[in-house]
PDB file of all heavy atoms in Angstrom:
ATOM      1  N   ALA A 245     -48.039  17.450  26.691  1.00 96.00           N
ATOM      2  CA  ALA A 245     -47.093  17.029  27.805  1.00 96.00           C
ATOM      3  C   ALA A 245     -46.084  18.110  28.033  1.00 96.00           C
ATOM      4  O   ALA A 245     -45.766  18.503  29.219  1.00 96.00           O
ATOM      5  CB  ALA A 245     -46.432  15.674  27.527  1.00 96.00           C
ATOM      6  N   ALA A 246     -45.516  18.685  27.055  1.00 96.00           N
ATOM      7  CA  ALA A 246     -44.493  19.744  27.163  1.00 96.00           C
ATOM      8  C   ALA A 246     -45.105  20.991  27.770  1.00 96.00           C
ATOM      9  O   ALA A 246     -44.427  21.587  28.669  1.00 96.00           O
ATOM     10  CB  ALA A 246     -43.861  20.113  25.877  1.00 96.00           C
ATOM     11  N   ASN A 247     -46.314  21.341  27.329  1.00 96.00           N
ATOM     12  CA  ASN A 247     -46.999  22.507  27.887  1.00 96.00           C
ATOM     13  C   ASN A 247     -47.317  22.326  29.378  1.00 96.00           C
ATOM     14  O   ASN A 247     -47.188  23.283  30.204  1.00 96.00           O
ATOM     15  CB  ASN A 247     -48.103  22.991  27.028  1.00 96.00           C
ATOM     16  CG  ASN A 247     -47.792  23.808  25.857  1.00 96.00           C
ATOM     17  OD1 ASN A 247     -47.311  24.851  26.065  1.00 96.00           O
ATOM     18  ND2 ASN A 247     -47.977  23.250  24.745  1.00 96.00           N
ATOM     19  N   GLU A 248     -47.639  21.135  29.715  1.00 97.00           N
ATOM     20  CA  GLU A 248     -48.024  20.788  31.131  1.00 97.00           C
ATOM     21  C   GLU A 248     -46.831  20.949  32.030  1.00 97.00           C
ATOM     22  O   GLU A 248     -46.977  21.251  33.162  1.00 97.00           O
ATOM     23  CB  GLU A 248     -48.699  19.500  31.219  1.00 97.00           C
ATOM     24  CG  GLU A 248     -50.110  19.512  30.630  1.00 97.00           C
ATOM     25  CD  GLU A 248     -50.802  18.052  30.628  1.00 97.00           C
ATOM     26  OE1 GLU A 248     -50.094  17.139  30.811  1.00 97.00           O
ATOM     27  OE2 GLU A 248     -52.112  18.119  30.501  1.00 97.00           O
ATOM     28  N   LYS A 249     -45.631  20.590  31.479  1.00 97.00           N
ATOM     29  CA  LYS A 249     -44.455  20.796  32.278  1.00 97.00           C
ATOM     30  C   LYS A 249     -44.255  22.272  32.588  1.00 97.00           C
ATOM     31  O   LYS A 249     -43.845  22.667  33.691  1.00 97.00           O
ATOM     32  CB  LYS A 249     -43.225  20.249  31.436  1.00 97.00           C
ATOM     33  CG  LYS A 249     -43.100  18.763  31.325  1.00 97.00           C
ATOM     34  CD  LYS A 249     -41.847  18.389  30.570  1.00 97.00           C
ATOM     35  CE  LYS A 249     -41.738  16.852  30.337  1.00 97.00           C
ATOM     36  NZ  LYS A 249     -40.577  16.514  29.584  1.00 97.00           N
ATOM     37  N   LEU A 250     -44.495  23.115  31.621  1.00 97.00           N
ATOM     38  CA  LEU A 250     -44.387  24.466  31.868  1.00 97.00           C
ATOM     39  C   LEU A 250     -45.484  25.082  32.820  1.00 97.00           C
ATOM     40  O   LEU A 250     -45.251  26.028  33.594  1.00 97.00           O
ATOM     41  CB  LEU A 250     -44.338  25.287  30.474  1.00 97.00           C
ATOM     42  CG  LEU A 250     -43.106  25.043  29.685  1.00 97.00           C
ATOM     43  CD1 LEU A 250     -43.404  25.435  28.233  1.00 97.00           C
ATOM     44  CD2 LEU A 250     -41.987  25.751  30.204  1.00 97.00           C
ATOM     45  N   VAL A 251     -46.625  24.564  32.619  1.00 97.00           N
ATOM     46  CA  VAL A 251     -47.720  24.880  33.579  1.00 97.00           C
ATOM     47  C   VAL A 251     -47.224  24.627  35.105  1.00 97.00           C
ATOM     48  O   VAL A 251     -47.459  25.431  35.887  1.00 97.00           O
ATOM     49  CB  VAL A 251     -49.076  24.083  33.274  1.00 97.00           C
ATOM     50  CG1 VAL A 251     -50.062  24.314  34.373  1.00 97.00           C
ATOM     51  CG2 VAL A 251     -49.614  24.586  31.882  1.00 97.00           C
ATOM     52  N   ALA A 252     -46.725  23.405  35.238  1.00 97.00           N
ATOM     53  CA  ALA A 252     -46.254  22.982  36.592  1.00 97.00           C
ATOM     54  C   ALA A 252     -45.135  23.854  37.119  1.00 97.00           C
ATOM     55  O   ALA A 252     -45.048  24.321  38.308  1.00 97.00           O
ATOM     56  CB  ALA A 252     -45.855  21.477  36.614  1.00 97.00           C
TER      57      ALA A 252
END
Side-chain angles (χ1 to χ4, degrees):
N247 275 292
E248 285 176 345
K249 287 180 182 178
L250 291 164
V251 169

